[in-house]
Amino acid sequence: MDYSKKAVYFFCTDYERDEVAPRVLDYLKNNYPLKLSNMKFDNRDIYNYVDENNNLFTYVETDKVLSYDYNKYIPLLNKLFLDYDVAGVVNWHGGEKAPDKILTVHSTGDVIEGIYAPSNPLYLRNLMVSMEKNREKNHLDDFKVMTEGTHWTGTIRGGNVNLIDKYQVPLFDIEIGSTLDSWSNEIAIKTLATSLQDVFSDESPVKTLLCVGGMHFEETFSNIIIDKDYKISVGHVLPNQWLVQGEYDKYEKYDLLKKCVNSINGNIDGIVIHDNLKSAYKNQIKKLAQELNVPTFKH
């Protein structure tokens, strides 16, 4: 059957590994007319839902968070879901200094190694705008909708970063953070779950920025995306710390910046440079902007 667009989302259903995904999937099962597929994903169930615009949404159960075992999952992704328009891993956000009470969407890559999965800025924006709309509608007043630095959660699990770009469908992490109170917050679960179906809600063009420097969470980047008065999104966010570790100030690392841009769906319209970035890094970015004939902006 021909569909308008196709999205696939992955849910680790083991509460020992993920406190968010099974709750979100349960909400979807209880509130949407999902149909059990006759296909399996690593012997786990797959569910489908078709909306009124003939968009297909596929919800896939996994034993582990998808990024924790790319060795096993990448061949399956390429076998079953290569013709999809976007993919998402629904999971939990955590970390020693991670902000709490957040709904977050981020692109996938390893900045230090310069390996980037495809990113679709329009779909990232659609998800975040929907999250913000539903956050307000559901009176989830103490939560924020944010993006964050481009990363791959498999890195901290010792995963092979060279597998990151071996699935050539735009892939986002879609998370709730960063404590059990937030992970189990029923309104946050509802807000995230209902937003997943809006990934194709707006197909009009968006201005795309590459954001370079700053912290892992830069509220300015997030706020411009969810502001309905502007059609602006980001392709990737490269925080200062990882640029330094990846030695992006060196001439021979310039090609990593080009790889980053090439992984973004469509052309970028500008580059935002954090003002605290050291001049050697800024020079590399300005060279890239000149080559691409796009403006740079100071943050």
Side-chain angles (χ1 to χ4, degrees), residues 23 89 98-99 109 122 149 195 210 252 255 299:
R23 291 184 167 94
V89 182
L122 173 62
S195 300
L210 174 66
E252 60 268 23
D255 281 348
H299 166 54

PDB file of all heavy atoms in Angstrom, residues 23 89 98-99 109 122 149 195 210 252 255 299:
ATOM      1  N   ARG A  23       5.806   3.061  29.023  1.00  0.00           N
ATOM      2  CA  ARG A  23       4.647   3.871  29.412  1.00  0.00           C
ATOM      3  C   ARG A  23       4.047   4.584  28.199  1.00  0.00           C
ATOM      4  O   ARG A  23       2.826   4.662  28.050  1.00  0.00           O
ATOM      5  CB  ARG A  23       5.042   4.885  30.484  1.00  0.00           C
ATOM      6  CG  ARG A  23       5.373   4.269  31.831  1.00  0.00           C
ATOM      7  CD  ARG A  23       5.667   5.357  32.875  1.00  0.00           C
ATOM      8  NE  ARG A  23       5.688   4.812  34.232  1.00  0.00           N
ATOM      9  CZ  ARG A  23       6.773   4.405  34.860  1.00  0.00           C
ATOM     10  NH1 ARG A  23       7.960   4.475  34.257  1.00  0.00           N
ATOM     11  NH2 ARG A  23       6.707   3.918  36.088  1.00  0.00           N
ATOM     12  N   VAL A  89      13.704   7.120  18.512  1.00  0.00           N
ATOM     13  CA  VAL A  89      13.882   6.216  19.649  1.00  0.00           C
ATOM     14  C   VAL A  89      13.292   6.914  20.870  1.00  0.00           C
ATOM     15  O   VAL A  89      13.812   7.944  21.331  1.00  0.00           O
ATOM     16  CB  VAL A  89      15.368   5.894  19.895  1.00  0.00           C
ATOM     17  CG1 VAL A  89      15.507   4.902  21.048  1.00  0.00           C
ATOM     18  CG2 VAL A  89      16.016   5.338  18.635  1.00  0.00           C
ATOM     19  N   ALA A  98      22.070  16.544  34.338  1.00  0.00           N
ATOM     20  CA  ALA A  98      20.964  16.716  33.391  1.00  0.00           C
ATOM     21  C   ALA A  98      19.827  17.510  34.029  1.00  0.00           C
ATOM     22  O   ALA A  98      19.465  17.270  35.179  1.00  0.00           O
ATOM     23  CB  ALA A  98      20.461  15.348  32.948  1.00  0.00           C
ATOM     24  N   PRO A  99      19.259  18.448  33.284  1.00  0.00           N
ATOM     25  CA  PRO A  99      18.089  19.157  33.806  1.00  0.00           C
ATOM     26  C   PRO A  99      16.906  18.217  33.935  1.00  0.00           C
ATOM     27  O   PRO A  99      16.760  17.267  33.149  1.00  0.00           O
ATOM     28  CB  PRO A  99      17.826  20.240  32.748  1.00  0.00           C
ATOM     29  CG  PRO A  99      18.455  19.716  31.506  1.00  0.00           C
ATOM     30  CD  PRO A  99      19.628  18.893  31.935  1.00  0.00           C
ATOM     31  N   GLY A 109      24.474  11.563  16.456  1.00  0.00           N
ATOM     32  CA  GLY A 109      25.829  11.602  15.919  1.00  0.00           C
ATOM     33  C   GLY A 109      26.836  11.532  17.042  1.00  0.00           C
ATOM     34  O   GLY A 109      26.486  11.582  18.223  1.00  0.00           O
ATOM     35  N   LEU A 122      13.050  19.797   9.580  1.00  0.00           N
ATOM     36  CA  LEU A 122      11.609  20.039   9.545  1.00  0.00           C
ATOM     37  C   LEU A 122      10.889  19.108  10.512  1.00  0.00           C
ATOM     38  O   LEU A 122      10.021  19.539  11.286  1.00  0.00           O
ATOM     39  CB  LEU A 122      11.077  19.843   8.130  1.00  0.00           C
ATOM     40  CG  LEU A 122       9.551  19.902   7.978  1.00  0.00           C
ATOM     41  CD1 LEU A 122       9.010  21.271   8.381  1.00  0.00           C
ATOM     42  CD2 LEU A 122       9.133  19.544   6.561  1.00  0.00           C
ATOM     43  N   GLY A 149      22.555  18.894  22.532  1.00  0.00           N
ATOM     44  CA  GLY A 149      23.689  18.596  21.688  1.00  0.00           C
ATOM     45  C   GLY A 149      23.513  17.269  20.959  1.00  0.00           C
ATOM     46  O   GLY A 149      22.998  16.298  21.527  1.00  0.00           O
ATOM     47  N   SER A 195       2.324  13.697  20.649  1.00  0.00           N
ATOM     48  CA  SER A 195       3.128  14.519  19.745  1.00  0.00           C
ATOM     49  C   SER A 195       3.768  13.697  18.628  1.00  0.00           C
ATOM     50  O   SER A 195       4.084  14.238  17.562  1.00  0.00           O
ATOM     51  CB  SER A 195       4.214  15.261  20.534  1.00  0.00           C
ATOM     52  OG  SER A 195       3.645  16.116  21.507  1.00  0.00           O
ATOM     53  N   LEU A 210      22.842  25.436  11.541  1.00  0.00           N
ATOM     54  CA  LEU A 210      23.817  24.597  12.223  1.00  0.00           C
ATOM     55  C   LEU A 210      24.276  25.387  13.435  1.00  0.00           C
ATOM     56  O   LEU A 210      24.674  26.553  13.308  1.00  0.00           O
ATOM     57  CB  LEU A 210      25.002  24.288  11.308  1.00  0.00           C
ATOM     58  CG  LEU A 210      26.182  23.540  11.945  1.00  0.00           C
ATOM     59  CD1 LEU A 210      25.783  22.129  12.359  1.00  0.00           C
ATOM     60  CD2 LEU A 210      27.367  23.487  10.973  1.00  0.00           C
ATOM     61  N   GLU A 252      43.016  19.604   9.500  1.00  0.00           N
ATOM     62  CA  GLU A 252      42.645  18.292   8.964  1.00  0.00           C
ATOM     63  C   GLU A 252      41.261  17.827   9.433  1.00  0.00           C
ATOM     64  O   GLU A 252      40.731  16.836   8.936  1.00  0.00           O
ATOM     65  CB  GLU A 252      43.693  17.236   9.319  1.00  0.00           C
ATOM     66  CG  GLU A 252      43.920  17.018  10.807  1.00  0.00           C
ATOM     67  CD  GLU A 252      45.047  17.903  11.360  1.00  0.00           C
ATOM     68  OE1 GLU A 252      45.336  18.953  10.736  1.00  0.00           O
ATOM     69  OE2 GLU A 252      45.608  17.529  12.398  1.00  0.00           O
ATOM     70  N   ASP A 255      37.030  18.638   7.248  1.00  0.00           N
ATOM     71  CA  ASP A 255      36.119  17.756   6.506  1.00  0.00           C
ATOM     72  C   ASP A 255      35.021  17.182   7.394  1.00  0.00           C
ATOM     73  O   ASP A 255      33.952  16.807   6.896  1.00  0.00           O
ATOM     74  CB  ASP A 255      36.891  16.614   5.839  1.00  0.00           C
ATOM     75  CG  ASP A 255      37.583  17.060   4.555  1.00  0.00           C
ATOM     76  OD1 ASP A 255      37.275  18.179   4.081  1.00  0.00           O
ATOM     77  OD2 ASP A 255      38.437  16.314   4.041  1.00  0.00           O
ATOM     78  N   HIS A 299      25.927  34.042  18.920  1.00  0.00           N
ATOM     79  CA  HIS A 299      25.035  33.752  20.038  1.00  0.00           C
ATOM     80  C   HIS A 299      25.799  34.008  21.332  1.00  0.00           C
ATOM     81  O   HIS A 299      26.836  33.420  21.551  1.00  0.00           O
ATOM     82  CB  HIS A 299      24.562  32.296  19.995  1.00  0.00           C
ATOM     83  CG  HIS A 299      23.913  31.827  21.270  1.00  0.00           C
ATOM     84  ND1 HIS A 299      22.863  32.492  21.846  1.00  0.00           N
ATOM     85  CD2 HIS A 299      24.209  30.799  22.088  1.00  0.00           C
ATOM     86  CE1 HIS A 299      22.538  31.880  22.950  1.00  0.00           C
ATOM     87  NE2 HIS A 299      23.329  30.836  23.138  1.00  0.00           N
TER      88      HIS A 299
END
